[in-house]
């Protein structure tokens, strides 16, 4: 009987939920970007049908989907992907750095609200910690 690492499965699910939310902005348009906390410059571009917000949402959605696949691979749910240990280390680090470094990143995105930064950073912290716990648990197996 195969057992899977629950923490990495949860991490995969959380990354995929985030991916789906990013993909949904492609179809929701400006209202979707606004609802999910994008800054007014991105919302304004989406409102006039500019390609840039949709491309960014698609790229982030694809990246998060790949991250979900790597978490599932590390969890033992799917086949072993190349460099799974190193990639999971990077994914975990990116989530945690994004969560903790938001005061340094915030000035580069002046259109985003304070609420966006607190909520998105908290989400990244939770997902990063879930990945970290799972990664520690499967470390010897990877």
């Amino acid at each position: 009987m195969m057992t899977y690492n629950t923490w990495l499965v949860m991490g995969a699910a959380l990354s995929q939920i985030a991916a789906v939310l990013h993909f949904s902005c492609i179809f929701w348009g400006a209202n979707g970007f606004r609802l999910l906390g994008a800054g007014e410059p991105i919302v304004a571009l989406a409102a006039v049908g500019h390609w840039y917000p949709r491309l960014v949402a698609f790229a982030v959605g694809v990246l998060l989907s790949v991250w979900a696949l790597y978490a599932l691979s590390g969890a033992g749910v799917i086949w072993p992907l190349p460099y799974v240990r190193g990639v999971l280390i990077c994914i975990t680090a990116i989530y945690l750095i994004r969560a903790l470094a938001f005061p340094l990143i915030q000035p580069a995105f002046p259109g985003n609200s304070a609420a966006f930064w607190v909520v998105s950073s908290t989400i990244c912290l939770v997902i990063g910690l879930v990945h970290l716990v799972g990664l520690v648990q499967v470390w010897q197996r990877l």
Side-chain angles (χ1 to χ4, degrees):
M1 181 169 138
M2 184 65 153
T3 59
Y4 306 120
N5 183 275
T6 304
W7 289 93
L8 286 176
V9 171
M10 285 190 306
L14 292 169
S15 290
Q16 196 57 51
I17 290 167
V20 168
L21 288 172
H22 281 82
F23 288 137
S24 69
C25 285
I26 296 168
F27 303 103
W28 286 344
N31 289 334
F33 284 99
R34 185 176 291 111
L35 177 70
L36 295 179
E40 280 307 311
I42 293 293
V43 172
L45 285 173
V48 297
H50 198 276
W51 58 268
Y52 180 74
R54 291 189 307 264
L55 177 66
V56 170
F58 179 77
V60 172
V62 168
L63 180 68
L64 290 168
S65 294
V66 170
W67 288 6
L69 285 174
Y70 266 90
L72 290 174
S73 179
V77 174
I78 65 170
W79 63 95
L81 292 172
Y83 312 109
V84 69
R85 179 190 279 193
V87 172
L88 283 175
I89 291 168
C90 290
I91 292 167
T92 303
I94 290 168
Y95 274 126
L96 294 175
I97 290 167
R98 165 56 184 84
L100 301 174
F102 84 88
L104 302 173
I105 302 167
Q106 190 174 7
F109 301 93
N112 293 349
S113 68
F116 166 82
W117 287 105
V118 170
V119 170
S120 64
S121 295
T122 302
I123 290 168
C124 287
L125 180 62
V126 168
I127 298 173
L129 290 173
V130 167
H131 276 79
L132 181 61
V133 171
L135 183 57
V136 168
Q137 290 177 351
V138 300
W139 187 260
Q140 295 300 323
R141 182 175 58 78
L142 297 179

